[in-house]
Amino acid sequence: MRTRTVVLIAGGLCAAALAAGMVAVDRLAAAADREDRTCTQQAQADAAAIRTGRDWTADDVPGIGDYVEIHWQAGTLGVPCSRAPGPTDWRAEGVLRLRDTDAAAFAAWPAATGAPPVRDTLRPFLPEAVRWRHGGDFPRQHKGRTVDLYADPDRAVAWFTVSTA
């Protein structure tokens, strides 16, 4: 009888440990789901935000000079909330109001064969009837990033992208 009691007690302890382990795994999974949702929501909010900070300079986007005003957005091209190690590619896009002295430098650029793919959220910052010019050396690699730039020297406005992809 003693052996049977020991076996029953050991079996009960194993069942209790298994149940506790399942509860712990379930709680960890729920916490990970909440964290993923929070990360995804934050990434979406970050991508939707229109920024006006002077974070981009002529060192980042050659030719833009000391611009008057900027409106830009950034987003990831991958899955920023992935648990996989490694970097996530990102892309920033913006509309710049240029100083007349800097805008004049773009007058020699040829007319663009098409319009850049400006985000709908940034279109309100462009004047009407923009006539884009696009330099032959854009898009190009600059400091390990891909940079593209369109400009309208008559309206002193430019559009740029910078991406790590």
Side-chain angles (χ1 to χ4, degrees):
M1 289 262 189
R2 258 184 123 158
T3 304
R4 185 174 183 192
T5 304
V6 170
V7 168
L8 287 174
I9 291 173
L13 290 173
C14 287
L18 180 61
M22 290 174 62
V23 167
V25 166
D26 187 49
R27 286 186 180 165
L28 287 172
D33 286 344
R34 279 192 304 277
E35 184 179 313
D36 286 347
R37 270 184 271 138
T38 302
C39 178
T40 300
Q41 291 167 343
Q42 184 63 48
Q44 290 170 343
D46 287 345
I50 296 176
R51 295 167 170 84
T52 57
R54 297 181 65 85
D55 298 306
W56 301 101
T57 67
D59 192 41
D60 302 307
V61 183
I64 62 173
D66 183 28
Y67 51 86
V68 176
E69 181 179 75
I70 185 171
H71 294 90
W72 63 279
Q73 290 181 292
T76 58
L77 300 174
V79 182
C81 300
S82 169
R83 296 185 191 284
T88 296
D89 288 330
W90 57 267
R91 173 183 160 120
E93 175 181 331
V95 173
L96 300 158
R97 201 173 88 218
L98 303 170
R99 296 198 183 281
D100 291 338
T101 53
D102 294 323
F106 298 110
W109 281 14
T113 56
V118 179
R119 294 181 187 194
D120 290 340
T121 53
L122 293 175
R123 287 190 186 280
F125 303 105
L126 289 173
E128 291 190 30
V130 175
R131 291 187 298 272
W132 293 114
R133 295 180 177 271
H134 192 241
D137 60 341
F138 284 96
R140 69 179 181 189
Q141 290 298 119
H142 181 70
K143 293 184 151 190
R145 300 173 179 161
T146 302
V147 178
D148 202 0
L149 181 65
Y150 285 70
D152 181 338
D154 298 327
R155 288 165 184 75
V157 67
W159 173 89
F160 74 94
T161 61
V162 176
S163 70
T164 58

